[in-house]
Amino acid sequence: MNNEKTIPPKFANRLLHSFLRDDLAEEVQGDLEEKFYADLKEKSIFRTKFNYWFQVFNYLRPFAIRKSRTFNPNHAMLSNQLIITYRTFLKNKIPLSINLFGMSIALGCCIAAYVNYQYNVEFDKGHVNANKIYRVAFMNESEGKLIPYGVSPMPVGELIRENFKNVNEVVRYISKDGQFRTVSAKIKNVKFNKLQDDGDRKYKPVVFLLPMSQWHLYREFKNGVNVGGRIEFVWLFGIIGTFVLLLACINFMNLSTARSERRAKEVGIRKSIGSVRAQLVSQFFSESLVVAFLAFLVSLLLVQLMLPTFNQVADKKLILPILNPLFWTAGVCFSLLTGIIAGSYPALYLSSFNPVQVLKGTFRVGRFASIPRKVLVVVQFSVSVTLIIGTIVVFNQIQYAKNRPIGYERNGLINMFLTTQDLHKHFDAVRNELKSSGAIVEMAESGSPVTQVWNSNGGFEWEGKDPALAVDFPNNGITHEYGKTIGWQFKEGRDFSHEYSTDSNAFVINEAAEKFLGFKKTVGATLTWEGKPYTIIGIIKDMVVESPYEPARASLFHISKDDGNVILMKMNPEMASREALGKIETVIKKHNPDAPFEYKFVDEDYARKFGDEERIGKLASFFAALAIFISCLGIFGLASFVAEQKAKEIGVRKVMGASVFTLWKMLSRDFVLLVTISFLIASLISFYAMNNWLLKYEYRTEISWWVFAVAGMGALVITLATVSYQAIKAALANPVTSLRTE
């Protein structure tokens, strides 16, 4: 018989010794082996070994299991760590306050960015059939580019319903002022991406479907390509919020490692009495996690207080989803991750100290121990200065576009959208009554508002035109008084006039159209539109009708033979607006009693064109201010530590006759150097990033040298102001106090 088969199973014995109390081990194993050999005489080897295993497992009882002597993070140990953490915080109130306040602000920014992300992502998903609804969008080819076409032609809905069986419903929806805007379709199974009527690219628009999930975040197109939209802003704020949180984590790392000499003795003593490095790492991580979770709770309060202001600036209606379990799960996990990141370097660094050197008093942090802290300070201020430069560039771009000549006079100009035929039928009577009342200077009817393009057409021919060239000109049907009402500016030629009956077949064009058409003599030239000749009688300066950041499109104006969509009025500047509006309302209700009196100021409509960029600028400046504030908190804490560390040196220098200015310069020198390095790094990063951002605007400002000078000087002044308090305080202290022990 094989000897290995006739002895008790070795693995069973090892298992027994792994959990059995030491005082029972020898006796129990002896009893089990005695029984094993007795059973072997009467039973099979398999049954004997099976019984042996059974007896081993039978000792897995509380009375027989020994208490573990290995490191195990149980409840008592956790309680002990929390007590040590509490006592550490009491001894270091300033660093704790800085870390807690900075991390609370940073986490608040991240929470706001998360709530903003959820709001925008869920914006178009509230509809029960959101995944089946598509908007039929158009782009017309003009001047070699694909231009978005805002209004859907009336027959499109019926055409889709007849030709595509997977379409359940088609509806044409109306915007807020009563203008039919576009067609939406409810589709079972999408099997097409693009439609074309007959392949003739000279006059037929490109038609495509935009799913409802993209209406809010992905609605911007450039030359036929989807370039995103609001999703860029969502990601931008999320990235900035993450960077702000990184700054707070850097503060924690710097302030924790800066006081390493104070905690060296604690580490040495704990290691000498048996603490392993894992226990010390756990202790330091517990400190960072406690700060992170406290900061998370404080940040919720800060966000709740800040949300009204954030909503006003961002033009949103965000709320804190405190009843959403996913929000709390994400918040706790994010706080945990923040605590781990913030505590990683201090935990690994502090736990590595040699206990022998520490307890002998020979431990020194070394010449290069401060290098990681200096690197982190450089990172902090590089981020902060980059945000400052970015904010200045954004505001410069907005101001540059605002100062652009717009080609008409928008002050005192109002739009009224026609929802009935009454005002059109009584146009002359309404105009005469309002002018007689002194409420307005002039009034006109138009197919489109001054600040939008509602209509564009192809079908144009002229002498010298390339037959293969596809054109689609924005054109506006107007009444004769339009030019006088909006105050457009003539470069050449004349305005429409009732004195010329031929003006019913005439065009007034803008400078962009003049350049595009390429006539040697434009005024008097003829354009053929859908087979009818039109004479160009005047050229006006380009009007900013669409984006103020893009060049004006070639546009045509003609006398309308149909009802207009908009009434334009130029209010009398010599009459108070409230009085003028009151008189206008009286006359309008007299001739149009069935419709409410609604109007819009053109200057307010024009100002909305800067809304997205202005919101970016305001939020960027807000984040930049927070970044600078958090960085300054860290600088303040480090300056206080340096002043405390050099107290004896300052005392000696002061006794030897050093002035307050000399001591201030000594303490401030390193921080000025770090900020200077940060400025150089930030300048390179921000120039590259902001130059790329500006490239998306055809009408854009340049990044001037003074932008960098202002940002650099601002960061330097703020740093010096932060450091100076601690430096001057240390320089004015009584040297006797610091030298008493010498």
Side-chain angles (χ1 to χ4, degrees), residues 232-252:
E232 295 179 359
F233 305 149
V234 173
W235 284 116
L236 175 65
F237 299 146
I239 292 171
I240 293 177
T242 302
F243 274 113
V244 172
L245 183 61
L246 174 64
L247 303 186
C249 292
I250 289 175
N251 276 354
F252 188 94

Side-chain angles (χ1 to χ4, degrees), residues 688-707:
Y688 175 79
M690 297 314 298
N691 189 58
N692 284 341
W693 180 75
L694 286 172
L695 287 177
K696 75 176 186 177
Y697 302 106
E698 293 193 39
Y699 191 84
R700 58 181 178 267
T701 186
E702 299 293 331
I703 304 178
S704 303
W705 65 268
W706 64 264
V707 173

Side-chain angles (χ1 to χ4, degrees), residues 247 249-262 345-346 349-350 353 363-381 631 634-635 637-639 641-642 645-646 670-671 674-675 678:
L247 303 186
C249 292
I250 289 175
N251 276 354
F252 188 94
M253 295 179 188
N254 277 344
L255 295 179
S256 297
T257 56
R259 299 181 177 270
S260 57
E261 287 189 3
R262 285 192 169 188
Y345 178 57
Y349 176 68
L350 296 175
F353 292 164
F363 171 78
R364 295 290 182 270
V365 292
R367 293 174 53 195
F368 304 106
S370 63
I371 290 179
R373 289 198 296 274
K374 292 179 179 179
V375 171
L376 292 175
V377 169
V378 168
V379 172
Q380 271 191 320
F381 271 88
S631 298
I635 289 288
L638 286 177
F641 165 73
V642 171
Q645 191 181 42
K646 295 187 176 183
D670 284 348
F671 292 106
L674 295 178
V675 172
S678 302

Side-chain angles (χ1 to χ4, degrees), residues 224-498:
V225 178
N226 188 302
V227 293
R230 292 182 180 174
I231 187 63
E232 295 179 359
F233 305 149
V234 173
W235 284 116
L236 175 65
F237 299 146
I239 292 171
I240 293 177
T242 302
F243 274 113
V244 172
L245 183 61
L246 174 64
L247 303 186
C249 292
I250 289 175
N251 276 354
F252 188 94
M253 295 179 188
N254 277 344
L255 295 179
S256 297
T257 56
R259 299 181 177 270
S260 57
E261 287 189 3
R262 285 192 169 188
R263 303 204 69 176
K265 290 183 180 179
E266 174 192 343
V267 173
I269 292 172
R270 292 183 64 177
K271 278 192 172 182
S272 66
I273 61 175
S275 290
V276 295
R277 188 177 184 186
Q279 288 176 302
L280 295 171
V281 169
S282 175
Q283 172 62 47
F284 295 128
F285 268 127
S286 69
E287 294 175 11
S288 63
L289 290 172
V290 168
V291 172
F293 282 114
L294 288 176
F296 173 63
L297 297 177
V298 176
S299 68
L300 294 176
L301 177 61
L302 292 178
V303 171
Q304 191 63 38
L305 295 174
M306 291 185 336
L307 268 183
T309 303
F310 184 88
N311 285 334
Q312 186 176 3
V313 173
D315 192 25
K316 298 283 196 315
K317 295 180 180 178
L318 307 181
I319 58 172
L320 203 60
I322 56 177
L323 299 180
N324 188 345
L326 180 61
F327 169 75
W328 289 103
T329 303
V332 171
C333 292
F334 199 71
S335 301
L336 179 65
L337 179 62
T338 301
I340 292 173
I341 292 173
S344 57
Y345 178 57
L348 297 175
Y349 176 68
L350 296 175
S351 64
S352 66
F353 292 164
N354 188 321
V356 176
Q357 291 182 339
V358 170
L359 297 179
K360 278 186 175 181
T362 59
F363 171 78
R364 295 290 182 270
V365 292
R367 293 174 53 195
F368 304 106
S370 63
I371 290 179
R373 289 198 296 274
K374 292 179 179 179
V375 171
L376 292 175
V377 169
V378 168
V379 172
Q380 271 191 320
F381 271 88
S382 296
V383 172
S384 301
V385 175
T386 299
L387 288 175
I388 293 174
I389 294 173
T391 301
I392 297 175
V393 172
V394 170
F395 278 114
N396 276 354
Q397 172 65 2
I398 295 171
Q399 201 57 44
Y400 182 77
K402 282 186 174 180
N403 293 335
R404 176 183 180 182
I406 64 169
Y408 65 95
E409 179 54 54
R410 63 181 182 269
N411 293 329
L413 195 62
I414 61 173
N415 280 328
M416 283 186 54
F417 300 103
L418 298 176
T419 55
T420 69
Q421 298 292 317
D422 294 342
L423 289 180
H424 175 75
K425 292 177 180 178
H426 302 98
F427 177 82
D428 290 332
V430 172
R431 174 173 173 264
N432 292 333
E433 287 183 41
L434 289 174
K435 290 187 71 174
S436 299
S437 70
I440 67 169
V441 175
E442 193 51 272
M443 169 176 155
E445 198 172 296
S446 168
S448 306
V450 187
T451 56
Q452 298 178 50
V453 171
W454 280 7
N455 190 48
S456 62
N457 291 93
F460 292 95
E461 301 290 339
W462 62 91
E463 185 179 352
K465 175 182 177 291
D466 182 354
L469 178 65
V471 295
D472 187 76
F473 292 137
N475 65 86
N476 195 356
I478 60 176
T479 57
H480 292 78
E481 303 80 14
Y482 183 84
K484 295 176 183 177
T485 304
I486 69 169
W488 60 15
Q489 303 161 15
F490 273 87
K491 175 185 176 183
E492 188 180 347
R494 65 173 177 85
D495 199 350
F496 294 111
S497 172
H498 288 286

Side-chain angles (χ1 to χ4, degrees), residues 126-137:
H127 196 284
V128 65
N129 292 313
N131 61 333
K132 298 180 181 179
I133 299 176
Y134 290 75
R135 181 164 66 88
V136 182

Side-chain angles (χ1 to χ4, degrees), residues 212-230:
M212 192 176 192
S213 61
Q214 297 184 10
W215 290 2
H216 182 66
L217 293 177
Y218 301 90
R219 64 182 185 183
E220 289 189 11
F221 290 81
K222 192 167 186 177
N223 196 21
V225 178
N226 188 302
V227 293
R230 292 182 180 174

Side-chain angles (χ1 to χ4, degrees), residues 660-730:
V660 172
F661 175 75
T662 302
L663 296 174
W664 170 82
K665 186 171 65 173
M666 179 190 74
L667 292 172
S668 304
R669 183 172 53 234
D670 284 348
F671 292 106
V672 171
L673 177 61
L674 295 178
V675 172
T676 303
I677 296 172
S678 302
F679 166 71
L680 295 176
I681 296 173
S683 297
L684 295 174
I685 295 173
S686 57
F687 179 81
Y688 175 79
M690 297 314 298
N691 189 58
N692 284 341
W693 180 75
L694 286 172
L695 287 177
K696 75 176 186 177
Y697 302 106
E698 293 193 39
Y699 191 84
R700 58 181 178 267
T701 186
E702 299 293 331
I703 304 178
S704 303
W705 65 268
W706 64 264
V707 173
F708 300 96
V710 168
M713 288 301 298
L716 187 61
V717 169
I718 292 171
T719 302
L720 287 176
T722 305
V723 174
S724 293
Y725 172 79
Q726 293 291 354
I728 294 174
K729 178 183 175 182

